[in-house]
Amino acid sequence: MVAALATGLMLTAGPVAQADTVETAIPVGASPFGVAITPDGARAYVTNLSDHTVSVIDTGTNTVIGNPIRVGNTPSGVAITPDGARAYVANLRDDNVSVIDIGTNAVIGNPITVGDLPLVVAITPDGAHAYVTNREDDTVSVIDTATDTVTTTIDVGDRPIGVAITPDGTRAYVTNYNDRTVSVIDTATNTVTGTIDSGRNAEGVAITPDGARAYVANYFDGSVSVIDTGTNAVIGNPITVGSYPSRVAITPDGARAYVTSRDDDRVSVIDTTTLDVTETIDVGDLPIGVAITPDGARAYVTNAGSDTNAGGGTVSVIAIEWEPTVTMTLPAGVVGQPYEYTFTVAGQPTPTSVTAGTLPDGLTLNENVLSGTPTTAGQFEFTFTATNGIGDDATVPVVLEITDTPSGTPSTGSLGSLGFSGS
């Protein structure tokens, strides 16, 4: 703490507590399967297997907007381009991919013919290519999104299901259900450069935002394997989750992985630091797809079951809640000079902030902003607390020095206050 005071270093808190809840279930079409969220977080696109349609959810109101979009036969996977302009939908029984213009919510052009029983779609970070797993012919089709044509077909393992692309766009990871393996594709050459033994019947796969790890759902093992993408080796023991895990999504901060489990109608939440399941969340009948909003505040889960009394035919919306944290590195103030500093506060729901102790004369705290013009020199001690009802409050001790230094003299040499991030 002395070092932090002297140098302005920030101290990092451990994992924060969470208490996720399902805030609503949205009726969509029959057998909702895949889900993808636009980069601005405003809409969720849901494929309805039995309706041959795509439903569009307004995530601000959590209601379906417009009429369902008719696509091909048995739509399964869906992915959205990074610019938010188009959605690519794999039509399982038509062996093709439909392209939706998100601006008009209409299908554009002709379907793109791919391999046999296309299931999942992933798009490169630059938006230039879409990778589609073809379950029955053991291939991956690569679509050039500028021309909407297949440029190459890659042989992978037996019955490919999931596909995810690293944040730098250099590799695609493909799960092979019958092989119990994951194929690694070099996207520059579109060749398989490695094969990783995973768990039994690998299905969904997701990659952390830093690209360091891939999380693979092993369907019949009831587990999730974690792959170190630097070495392409499985690390640690498989993580036991619910029965028949299907898909995986990771929060934008990389802190948690959400795994759907078909048989027990739950979502398991994995702490990616400890690799432990921290909670399970009851959702609807036969959960399959899962996607998380860009702000990390909600997870959308498709419930593909036919039992509407048990939540089938819906999308469960999970409020992702976590306890507050505070990060700060306050500078010193100077008598007679305007002062303003904003505390960095995080948490879901949005925390409220209070102080206790003595603020410097002339300064006030409004929400997270400390501002005003100091009138008295001295060292002032107070605490800053952020609270949102989840876990522990984040209470931080503050020591703020106000000096008599003339206005023309820089004040950056002062000790300032303790920089701390804690809960």
Side-chain angles (χ1 to χ4, degrees):
M1 294 180 70
V2 172
L5 176 63
T7 65
L9 294 177
M10 295 185 187
L11 304 179
T12 302
V16 297
Q18 63 191 76
D20 295 348
T21 56
V22 174
E23 60 182 21
T24 191
I26 308 166
V28 287
S31 306
F33 191 87
V35 57
I37 296 172
T38 54
D40 63 3
R43 296 180 185 177
Y45 284 70
V46 178
T47 59
N48 303 304
L49 277 174
S50 300
D51 278 356
H52 318 303
T53 63
V54 172
S55 297
V56 182
I57 295 171
D58 180 327
T59 59
T61 61
N62 280 330
T63 57
V64 173
I65 57 175
N67 295 319
I69 305 166
R70 179 77 185 193
V71 287
N73 190 13
T74 322
S76 53
V78 56
I80 296 172
T81 54
D83 63 2
R86 293 180 174 183
Y88 283 72
V89 178
N91 300 308
L92 190 69
R93 298 296 177 184
D94 280 348
D95 298 339
N96 62 30
V97 172
S98 296
V99 183
I100 297 172
D101 183 317
I102 288 179
T104 62
N105 278 337
V107 173
I108 57 175
N110 295 317
I112 306 163
T113 300
V114 289
D116 191 7
L117 295 187
L119 191 62
V120 175
V121 186
I123 297 175
T124 53
D126 62 4
H129 296 94
Y131 284 69
V132 183
T133 55
N134 303 307
R135 192 182 74 180
E136 294 306 304
D137 62 11
D138 304 338
T139 65
V140 171
S141 296
V142 183
I143 298 172
D144 182 326
T145 58
T147 61
D148 282 340
T149 58
V150 173
T151 57
T152 190
T153 301
I154 308 164
D155 292 326
V156 287
D158 188 5
R159 199 179 183 188
I161 301 288
V163 56
I165 299 171
T166 55
D168 63 6
T170 61
R171 286 174 286 174
Y173 284 73
V174 177
T175 58
N176 302 306
Y177 186 87
N178 286 348
D179 273 358
R180 309 183 184 187
T181 64
V182 175
S183 297
V184 183
I185 296 173
D186 182 325
T187 58
T189 61
N190 281 327
T191 57
V192 174
T193 58
T195 302
I196 306 163
D197 292 330
S198 181
R200 188 167 53 149
N201 304 109
E203 275 209 10
V205 56
I207 297 172
T208 53
D210 62 4
R213 292 179 175 180
Y215 284 70
V216 177
N218 304 310
Y219 185 73
F220 277 114
D221 280 350
S223 70
V224 170
S225 295
V226 182
I227 296 171
D228 182 327
T229 58
T231 61
N232 279 335
V234 173
I235 58 176
N237 295 317
I239 305 163
T240 300
V241 289
S243 181
Y244 298 153
S246 183
R247 299 292 187 267
V248 186
I250 298 173
T251 53
D253 62 3
R256 304 179 204 173
Y258 284 68
V259 185
T260 57
S261 299
R262 294 185 200 179
D263 195 49
D264 56 12
D265 301 341
R266 291 180 179 177
V267 172
S268 298
V269 183
I270 298 171
D271 183 316
T272 58
T273 299
T274 63
L275 299 184
D276 294 323
V277 172
T278 57
E279 64 175 328
T280 58
I281 306 159
D282 292 327
V283 288
D285 184 26
L286 199 69
I288 302 289
V290 56
I292 296 171
T293 54
D295 62 2
R298 290 174 176 163
Y300 286 72
V301 177
T302 59
N303 303 304
S306 58
D307 186 352
T308 55
N309 291 327
T314 67
V315 173
S316 294
V317 182
I318 299 172
I320 299 176
E321 301 177 340
W322 64 93
E323 69 184 35
T325 60
V326 177
T327 303
M328 69 177 196
T329 315
L330 263 70
V334 179
V335 171
Q337 293 188 9
Y339 184 95
E340 182 173 309
Y341 180 80
T342 302
F343 292 85
T344 301
V345 178
Q348 180 67 28
T350 302
T352 57
S353 305
V354 295
T355 60
T358 304
L359 291 177
D361 295 336
L363 296 187
T364 60
L365 183 75
N366 183 13
E367 289 297 329
N368 303 327
V369 181
L370 182 64
S371 62
T373 301
T375 60
T376 306
Q379 194 174 77
F380 298 84
E381 299 183 9
F382 58 96
T383 60
F384 179 92
T385 299
T387 181
N388 67 355
I390 306 299
D392 296 328
D393 293 345
T395 300
V396 182
V398 181
V399 180
L400 177 57
E401 186 170 347
I402 305 298
T403 71
D404 281 320
T405 306
S407 59
T409 303
S411 61
T412 55
S414 172
L415 290 182
S417 84
L418 177 63
F420 187 85
S421 174
S423 60

